[in-house]
Amino acid sequence: MKILCAKSRPLNQKKLFTKTLAAIFAVSLSILPAQAEWLWPSEPPADCPAPKSEAATGIVFTGRHAEYTGADTWYPSWGADGRLYSPFTDGAVNGVGSFSGGKNAVVGHAVITGDDPLKLQVLEPGIIPGNPAPYGGRYPAGGLMHNGIWYIGTYGLANADYGLNWPILGPCAGFHISKDLGKTWTPSPRSTEPGKALFPEPTKFKGPIKLGSPHFVDFGKNMEHSPDGKAYLVGHGTTERDLEDRKANASWITGDQIYLCRVVPSPETINDPAAYEFFAGNDADGKAIWSADFANIKPIFEWDNRLGCVTITYNAPLKKYLMCVTDGGTTESKYNTGIFEADQMTGPWKLVSWMQDFGEQAYFVNIPSKFISADGRTMWLCYSANFCNHMWGRKAYRADPPGSAYAMCLQELRLLKPGEAPPHETPLTSRTNLAREAKVAASSTHKDSAVAGLTDGVAGGFPGESANEWSSNGERDTAFFRLAWEPPVTIGKITLYDRPNDIDQVQAGLLVFSDGTTLPVGELPDDGKTGTEVTFAPKTVSWVAFFVTKVKPSTRNIGLSEITVAK
């Protein structure tokens, strides 16, 4: 059902507005999750060197997500005890803070417990100091929990006189080691100083790095799927000095190539350069060549100015390696995320999806093997997002998908099968649905429903799943709710869905906008599936509220199953 409005009329119900507006602002606001599937479009640049994957033809997000802590740099490693072990930094976990910039740089570490990504606990935080000199920062690289021994790597970062965020990538400073699950640590004997780093790079301070910000390939619980019992490290870098091609040519989040090395993990070998082998290309039969000489290292993937921070996870059910790469733009711009797949770690790699502006500024993207489904098609992305919002103290970037935040973010996704049709986009599943980004308040909420049900992307509810709808607590024509945005948004269409039961029905209502205008809404279809679409001349607002003014006589707990908002 559609209602087309040429223009909205000024508010002429002053008494109603004054009374209810005060009540709205008195209600606390909460950020809401989305729970509807949608396909993130793959939009690779024309020069993408990877062919499209035939095994996984796209990425569909389910809408389920969770966010933990107020820190970033999460790379969970699945220990034999079933727990996840990860570094973190530039934030706090349970009151323990970590900041990796400056002479007093430290890296954080924590344990993640639980089997349901929506119900995890982040526990036992601690910190490890590490001098970044001569670089300005010493940040966490990959972490590994193997046979009860925890390894956390670090790498250097430097600033430049042209600004941007840590635009110069430094070397790997080796690995801190804990033999008691993080209670005590043996610091790495390596540093970021040229000649004292783990690998023989750079030759000069601020020179180009190949194995930058290295991360352990995730082989599953206690590395159970390693092909040879060795730990593999994947990193990004370049052969060009900074400014040779562009600003921030190789930073913590930008680069040109992806490199790979391997080592038998032990406290004795992890910081010994002589124990490492480096991927050195393929022989005539396409078999990987490994060399103990760093000078022979060759990339497993190249794409000029499009590669950055990288992780690889082995998907055992699919017998595929999945590589997550971030294209970090200028270091302070929106970021793009590429997901690639291959039968071997060394490639050749095929593109599953190139997600433009994912996050809109997602970084440190990885796929924890612990949360891969039995068929290998469903998994969770772990990442952090929108640090510029956090750093600048304003909302420079949207949370897209919803839940993207400066935190440990987990987003459930599934890989499309060959020939599988992607979900059909509707107002409920559209990425342009601004209701998903709103903070929501309601006059009351019945204990069996949830205010989150208003914007979860599901037009459902009692007698089905009550959490998929908002139901007031015993209200009839006094109920209302409000969606609020910061910063303001421009909108031109609202779709309202009634509750699906045949007892409660909205027969009339009033939309009230922050600019002081209103729009009347008539009777909503009583099936809970058919939306009433209200269109109007686009307006920029910071909030919109909906007041129920008339209900079906049998109504007990008026409410809605869903609302969508679009430009």
Side-chain angles (χ1 to χ4, degrees):
M1 179 182 292
K2 294 186 177 181
I3 300 175
L4 181 61
C5 300
K7 61 180 181 179
S8 56
R9 59 186 174 86
L11 182 67
N12 59 9
Q13 300 184 34
K14 184 175 181 181
K15 183 176 181 180
L16 171 66
F17 181 73
T18 303
K19 178 180 178 181
T20 54
L21 187 62
I24 290 175
F25 280 96
V27 181
S28 62
L29 303 179
S30 59
I31 298 176
L32 307 176
Q35 295 178 347
E37 285 196 341
W38 73 94
L39 175 74
W40 194 289
S42 182
E43 302 171 316
D47 64 342
C48 178
K52 292 182 180 179
S53 170
E54 302 90 7
T57 58
I59 288 179
V60 172
F61 286 89
T62 69
R64 297 207 306 159
H65 62 87
E67 297 72 50
Y68 300 93
T69 79
D72 66 8
T73 323
W74 296 92
Y75 300 110
S77 178
W78 193 3
D81 58 2
R83 307 198 303 174
L84 294 172
Y85 295 80
S86 178
F88 74 87
T89 197
D90 288 359
V93 173
N94 301 337
V96 176
S98 171
F99 181 68
S100 296
K103 64 180 181 179
N104 296 317
V106 299
V107 297
H109 57 86
V111 176
I112 304 163
T113 64
D115 298 321
D116 182 350
L118 299 176
K119 299 177 181 178
L120 300 178
Q121 290 185 297
V122 184
L123 307 170
E124 303 172 26
I127 57 173
I128 312 166
N131 187 349
Y135 287 78
R138 186 168 173 174
Y139 276 76
L144 174 67
M145 171 56 76
H146 181 246
N147 291 343
I149 300 175
W150 194 354
Y151 309 91
I152 291 181
T154 61
Y155 66 102
L157 290 175
N159 285 310
D161 57 9
Y162 54 75
L164 299 181
N165 186 263
W166 293 119
I168 300 177
L169 181 62
C172 176
F175 295 87
H176 306 304
I177 302 170
S178 177
K179 298 180 180 179
D180 54 11
L181 307 182
K183 294 181 178 65
T184 60
W185 291 86
T186 300
S188 169
R190 301 288 167 178
S191 75
T192 64
E193 186 177 345
K196 296 182 180 180
L198 180 58
F199 306 122
E201 61 174 355
T203 55
K204 294 182 180 180
F205 178 50
K206 293 188 178 181
I209 298 292
K210 294 179 179 179
L211 270 170
S213 181
H215 303 113
F216 288 98
V217 175
D218 186 342
F219 289 121
K221 191 174 185 178
N222 202 38
M223 277 185 25
E224 62 180 325
H225 297 295
S226 171
D228 48 20
K230 295 178 181 179
Y232 286 70
L233 285 155
V234 60
H236 74 282
T238 184
T239 58
E240 301 168 318
R241 286 186 63 86
D242 188 51
L243 295 179
E244 187 173 335
D245 188 19
R246 59 170 176 160
K247 292 179 179 179
N249 186 59
S251 71
W252 62 280
I253 203 67
T254 58
D256 301 324
Q257 295 102 22
I258 304 298
Y259 295 88
L260 190 70
C261 67
R262 65 185 186 183
V263 65
V264 176
S266 73
E268 294 73 34
T269 59
I270 202 73
N271 288 308
D272 179 6
Y276 283 80
E277 294 180 309
F278 306 94
F279 174 72
N282 296 303
D283 62 19
D285 297 323
K287 185 177 180 181
I289 300 171
W290 294 91
S291 173
D293 188 349
F294 184 85
N296 295 327
I297 194 170
K298 292 184 179 179
I300 63 170
F301 192 63
E302 295 186 78
W303 191 2
D304 191 44
N305 294 340
R306 287 293 183 181
L307 303 177
C309 185
V310 58
T311 63
I312 294 177
T313 297
Y314 183 63
N315 186 318
L318 296 183
K319 295 182 171 57
K320 290 282 188 181
Y321 289 93
L322 297 175
M323 179 168 71
C324 303
V325 183
T326 300
D327 165 20
T330 69
T331 73
E332 294 183 346
S333 60
K334 296 178 182 179
Y335 295 167
N336 308 315
T337 298
I339 309 293
F340 301 83
E341 60 88 359
D343 294 329
Q344 304 294 331
M345 271 179 288
T346 54
W349 293 92
K350 296 181 179 181
L351 179 66
V352 177
S353 183
W354 183 262
M355 299 187 292
Q356 196 80 12
D357 300 342
F358 179 71
E360 294 177 322
Q361 193 188 53
Y363 55 99
F364 301 151
V365 184
N366 61 91
I367 300 172
S369 59
K370 181 176 180 177
F371 303 129
I372 295 176
S373 64
D375 67 357
R377 288 284 167 184
T378 302
M379 60 207 70
W380 294 73
L381 276 190
C382 176
Y383 64 98
S384 298
N386 302 334
F387 77 91
C388 281
N389 293 356
H390 180 76
M391 182 173 66
W392 296 337
R394 60 182 176 86
K395 188 175 181 181
Y397 301 115
R398 298 167 53 234
D400 186 17
S404 299
Y406 190 79
M408 181 178 72
C409 306
L410 292 169
Q411 287 274 352
E412 188 180 45
L413 64 85
R414 62 182 183 86
L415 303 178
L416 281 181
K417 300 176 182 178
E420 179 184 358
H424 176 66
E425 184 174 285
T426 69
L428 293 171
T429 61
S430 174
R431 283 180 55 212
T432 61
N433 177 13
L434 296 172
R436 298 190 312 171
E437 301 176 27
K439 295 182 178 181
V440 182
S443 54
S444 67
T445 301
H446 191 278
K447 63 180 179 63
D448 294 331
S449 73
V451 70
L454 274 169
T455 59
D456 63 1
V458 179
F462 178 80
E465 179 54 60
S466 296
N468 290 140
E469 67 178 350
W470 165 68
S471 169
S472 66
N473 188 23
E475 290 189 88
R476 291 164 52 85
D477 57 4
T478 60
F480 60 87
F481 64 84
R482 185 189 75 162
L483 308 187
W485 296 271
E486 178 57 43
V489 296
T490 300
I491 63 176
K493 181 169 66 176
I494 293 174
T495 306
L496 302 162
Y497 297 80
D498 198 51
R499 295 185 65 197
N501 72 75
D502 57 7
I503 300 172
D504 307 285
Q505 183 191 15
V506 174
Q507 294 189 329
L510 185 70
L511 287 167
V512 179
F513 300 89
S514 61
D515 64 359
T517 59
T518 67
L519 284 174
V521 178
E523 183 174 305
L524 305 186
D526 202 17
D527 59 3
K529 299 178 181 178
T530 306
T532 295
E533 186 178 282
V534 183
T535 60
F536 45 90
K539 59 177 69 188
T540 300
V541 298
S542 57
W543 57 262
V544 60
F546 180 67
F547 299 92
V548 178
T549 58
K550 183 180 178 181
V551 301
K552 181 192 251 184
S554 61
T555 295
R556 299 174 183 174
N557 303 287
I558 200 61
L560 291 183
S561 65
E562 195 70 18
I563 179 174
T564 68
V565 180
K567 293 182 178 179

